[in-house]
Amino acid sequence: MAPLACVRCDAPGAPGALGCACGGLLEVRPAAPALEGEALRALFAARRASRAPEDRSGVWRYRELVAPDLPVEAIVARGEGNTGLYPAPRLAAWVGLDRGALWLKHEGENPTGSFKDRGMCVGVSAALREGARVLACASTGNTSASLASYAALAGAPCVVFVPEGKVALGKLAQTVAYGARVLAVRGSFDTAMTLVDEAARAYGLGLLNSINPWRIEGQKAIALEVLDDLGWSPPDWVVLPSGNLGNISALGKGLREARQAGLIDRLPRIAGVQAAGAAPFARYMRDPRGDLVPEPRPETVATAIRIGAPRSWEKARREVQALDGGVLAVSDAELLAAKAEIDRAGVGCEPASAASVAGLKRLVAEGRVARDARVVAILTGHLLKDPETTVELHRERGQVVVDGTLEAIGAALAGLI
Ligand code: F0G
């Protein structure tokens, strides 16, 4: 496997280590791939015609840039990636891109309904290869659903730490169904994250949060697939919701490595969007000196990103700076307004995902994204993840109860026909 090194002090990391002695996170430092440019693009394209699971997966298809040393028989895959990239002209107009273009990359179309599957298939494969027996994570719900699925596929036991009462229904249902042991921790995600980290060290659990460097390597495939979808013609911006900051770190690393491998000739800019009640990184990036100051009481309707002490802030800072990006916070009202538009466009997403479109609207209004820009907004989770918030949001469109007569139906069709 490729070597690990600390993002803070550059010291080498031992395989399977959770962090560096200095307190920094570890990252994978891959060797340059043997192929590059057109040869690599052609290899990726050829794999689309193959039936082999490792070629059909929208993560493992790009394995030269993901985890090239992992033998194919060690790969756990269930067709992750291959998510839709939807042109969204009405939403483009809504956010103010009147001369530009907007695509929605729907990562909710991954096997367990969120972008987490991209990193999880690689994280679980690598952890089991390195000898982990019991797998664990803290989660606001999507990571736990994803880990529970991949652990079950691989036949490994898993335990997940979730903030009690703060996990959306669909996510909890999945996690329980796939057979994880669910520990509902009294406290926030941040409490659960600290505890699982300690428990992993104390009890020898394989930790599958995005502080695990192999999670990031898999999540990089989001960048590769977006570029591939666009015929390797990079957009001007990629916008995404940000919580624990693993995904933005992976996106930036993936884009930079794609350029190094000659897959693209220029880098897009990236923007991370937080919920205003849980926006320590947006605050920090206004003047990024010293350490990030956590938000002690994170609060937002978007429970997926209800996070006050994001762990990957140093990696995320590096990527935002390297890609001339931005970070901002949007209110719950802005986020829900964007969700309503995404839902009515026929695409739909869970609340946190809508932060990308809400943030884009603000960036266009403030002139930070030009009105003729080509933009990809990443939708991180499926509409069905959080049915309760969605039914509440669209309450005025709720069902009409009717008598079983044609007259009653006719009355209920008023205004439609
Ligand atoms: N969107 C959704 C739907 C998420 O579930 C998450 C994170 C994010 C965005 C933010 O991504 O943390 O990489 O910055 N969910 C984690 C979880 C925390 O446990 O499922 P990030």
Side-chain angles (χ1 to χ4, degrees):
M1 301 287 274
L4 303 179
C6 174
V7 281
R8 191 180 293 173
C9 76
D10 269 338
L18 291 179
C20 178
C22 79
L25 294 183
L26 298 177
E27 68 171 348
V28 178
R29 300 261 171 97
L35 296 176
E36 53 180 42
E38 186 46 38
L40 204 48
R41 289 195 293 258
L43 177 64
F44 297 156
R47 285 183 181 148
R48 288 182 183 271
S50 159
R51 290 182 189 279
E54 64 275 14
D55 293 338
R56 293 182 66 92
S57 160
V59 173
W60 297 110
R61 175 180 304 134
Y62 305 107
R63 55 191 175 271
E64 282 70 16
L65 293 179
V66 167
D69 308 325
L70 204 67
V72 164
E73 57 282 6
I75 285 177
V76 187
R78 57 169 294 200
E80 46 286 319
N82 300 311
T83 60
L85 182 80
Y86 302 106
R90 269 184 290 155
L91 269 172
W94 186 74
V95 300
L97 289 175
D98 40 21
R99 285 171 288 125
L102 173 63
W103 291 267
L104 302 173
K105 179 66 172 167
H106 206 330
E107 288 292 290
E109 294 171 356
N110 270 287
T112 76
S114 86
F115 74 98
K116 304 288 181 180
D117 295 338
R118 290 189 189 265
M120 199 56 77
C121 63
V122 177
V124 166
S125 303
L128 295 176
R129 176 96 185 150
E130 283 161 356
R133 213 183 56 74
V134 181
L135 308 180
C137 72
S139 181
T140 55
N142 279 327
T143 301
S144 59
S146 184
L147 174 59
S149 168
Y150 281 90
L153 276 175
C158 87
V159 54
V160 307
F161 294 50
V162 298
E164 190 208 1
K166 293 291 182 186
V167 175
L169 195 60
K171 306 175 187 182
L172 196 58
Q174 290 178 288
T175 308
V176 175
Y178 294 133
R181 182 171 301 185
V182 179
L183 308 185
V185 178
R186 292 195 186 95
S188 66
F189 167 84
D190 303 303
T191 320
M193 185 66 233
T194 305
L195 269 173
V196 77
D197 203 350
E198 286 173 12
R201 290 167 210 268
Y203 304 115
L205 310 173
L207 188 61
L208 266 302
N209 279 98
S210 55
I211 62 173
N212 178 324
W214 292 102
R215 278 278 314 279
I216 300 293
E217 293 306 286
Q219 263 167 233
K220 283 183 335 196
I222 208 167
L224 300 171
E225 200 178 279
V226 163
L227 296 171
D228 196 347
D229 289 341
L230 292 173
W232 305 101
S233 159
D236 298 311
W237 284 88
V238 182
V239 185
L240 79 175
S242 289
N244 209 22
L245 303 176
N247 206 22
I248 193 167
S249 303
L251 175 72
K253 191 170 192 277
L255 291 169
R256 287 189 296 109
E257 290 176 7
R259 186 172 183 202
Q260 281 155 17
L263 293 169
I264 50 172
D265 54 13
R266 67 179 177 85
L267 287 172
R269 299 170 74 185
I270 58 176
V273 188
Q274 299 207 288
F281 188 56
R283 237 181 349 256
Y284 172 72
M285 288 302 287
R286 280 187 221 135
D287 181 20
R289 279 180 297 187
D291 289 354
L292 174 137
V293 179
E295 161 61 57
R297 276 174 296 280
E299 204 44 85
T300 166
V301 66
T303 51
I305 51 174
R306 189 174 170 273
I307 295 172
R311 296 296 290 269
S312 293
W313 63 271
E314 279 177 286
K315 288 184 180 177
R317 179 187 61 195
R318 181 183 63 187
E319 301 306 341
V320 169
Q321 291 175 338
L323 281 85
D324 192 16
V327 187
L328 69 160
V330 294
S331 68
D332 279 4
E334 288 175 276
L335 195 147
L336 289 174
K339 174 175 154 57
E341 294 295 325
I342 297 164
D343 290 352
R344 280 181 219 139
V347 174
C349 64
E350 70 159 286
S353 306
S356 54
V357 172
L360 175 60
K361 188 172 170 64
R362 180 92 75 72
L363 289 168
V364 174
E366 291 173 0
R368 290 160 77 189
V369 168
R371 302 177 88 84
D372 62 355
R374 295 166 73 242
V375 182
V376 173
I378 294 180
L379 302 180
T380 42
H382 197 280
L383 171 69
L384 291 174
K385 287 283 190 174
D386 190 345
E388 288 159 317
T389 307
T390 299
V391 169
E392 179 65 26
L393 175 64
H394 297 282
R395 185 188 283 287
E396 81 281 7
R397 276 161 215 272
Q399 54 190 351
V400 180
V401 180
V402 291
D403 289 334
T405 68
L406 193 57
E407 292 71 33
I409 302 291
L413 293 179
L416 258 189
I417 51 170

